[in-house]
Amino acid sequence: EVQLVQSGAEVKKPGESLKISCEGSGYSFTSYWIAWVRQMPGKGLEWMGIIYPGDSDTRYSPSFQGQVTISADKSINTAYLQWSSLKASDTAMYYCAKCREVIPRNWFFDLWGRGTLVTVSS
Amino acid sequence: ETVLTQSPGTLSLSPGERATLSCRASQSFRSSYLAWYQQKPGQAPRLLIYGASSRATGIPDRFSGSGSGTDFTLTINRLESEDFAVYYCQQYGSSPLTFGGGTKVEMK
């Protein structure tokens, strides 16, 4: 079965670090870009960035550049999203999503993880 | 950055009716590189349409997309109960990728 399995919900304090994961299976993980998308409570979708697991080529939205780090470990078919110092405003659901096509920059998403809820509160 | 404006914010319709959702871009982008997604409460988004008008795998033919340039439309013919949800457009023709703010299709 083709799927993206995300790590579980997290509750953190402001200033703490966090790394969440997204494991792909059932397809060639290294061949398709994986994106991260934020959804704040009751709000819409925001593209954060994208990584090509084959060579870890990574692009960021200007809104998230410097705020998060996207990485991947192709040996275990897993992509990551991490923060070095969380803020309350990072409270959101975070989705990983697989691009449908291998063509570079045809970045629309046919497979989504179930999301990881990150809650940042003192 | 290409801003996508979706309208209306909420659409109140009855099963069997037609839904027409609009997505307008602040500037044109690479040819028809627009996708539509459906999101139900507590679920991840699901791809409906890509390339402005191509249906994704398994999407019923009552869903159709059209448009070009800066104006795009998602049409849902003969609404069924499972179609009541929030719909987002997304452009991938220019960087950064952007999503519209969403249209909620609710049952009247």
Side-chain angles (χ1 to χ4, degrees):
Chain A
E1 181 188 3
V2 180
Q3 59 181 347
L4 295 173
V5 177
Q6 295 190 232
S7 49
E10 301 274 1
V11 179
K12 291 289 190 179
K13 290 182 166 46
E16 291 186 331
S17 62
L18 177 64
K19 191 173 189 177
I20 62 176
S21 66
C22 169
E23 181 181 0
S25 61
Y27 72 98
S28 175
F29 183 75
T30 55
S31 298
Y32 294 86
W33 294 77
I34 293 275
W36 286 95
V37 176
R38 182 175 80 174
Q39 188 167 38
M40 299 178 77
K43 301 299 184 183
L45 305 171
E46 301 173 89
W47 176 68
M48 302 176 72
I50 196 165
I51 188 166
Y52 186 71
D55 63 6
S56 290
D57 185 5
T58 306
R59 317 288 172 84
Y60 292 93
S61 165
S63 298
F64 293 92
Q65 179 85 47
Q67 307 305 308
V68 297
T69 301
I70 294 171
S71 60
D73 184 341
K74 63 184 180 182
S75 70
I76 54 171
N77 288 0
T78 301
Y80 301 98
L81 176 66
Q82 68 181 84
W83 296 259
S84 59
S85 181
L86 286 160
K87 302 185 272 290
S89 57
D90 292 317
T91 294
M93 181 72 81
Y94 293 89
Y95 294 101
C96 61
K98 166 192 161 292
C99 288
R100 180 185 181 275
E101 298 185 351
V102 296
I103 302 170
R105 302 186 67 80
N106 269 22
W107 292 335
F108 59 94
F109 313 111
D110 68 337
L111 179 67
W112 293 67
R114 291 190 173 186
T116 295
L117 181 62
V118 174
T119 303
V120 184
S121 174
S122 54
Chain B
E1 172 175 318
T2 301
V3 175
L4 298 179
T5 301
Q6 291 189 240
S7 62
T10 302
L11 204 47
S12 298
L13 295 167
S14 301
E17 291 192 298
R18 172 185 294 173
T20 303
L21 287 65
S22 172
C23 175
R24 178 164 290 175
S26 61
Q27 59 193 12
S28 59
F29 46 85
R30 271 191 308 159
S31 176
S32 300
Y33 282 25
L34 188 106
W36 290 92
Y37 301 86
Q38 176 194 68
Q39 188 178 33
K40 297 180 180 178
Q43 296 186 17
R46 176 175 72 141
L47 177 67
L48 299 175
I49 300 287
Y50 63 93
S53 60
S54 298
R55 268 188 304 277
T57 303
I59 301 304
D61 62 7
R62 64 180 181 274
F63 290 90
S64 64
S66 63
S68 63
T70 59
D71 287 300
F72 299 88
T73 300
L74 175 70
T75 301
I76 313 170
N77 286 311
R78 303 178 308 279
L79 275 166
E80 298 194 6
S81 57
E82 65 259 32
D83 299 336
F84 292 95
V86 179
Y87 293 83
Y88 295 96
C89 56
Q90 176 230 329
Q91 67 80 20
Y92 51 99
S94 68
S95 187
L97 308 185
T98 49
F99 290 90
T103 290
K104 182 179 182 180
V105 178
E106 66 176 21
M107 199 175 299
K108 193 172 183 179

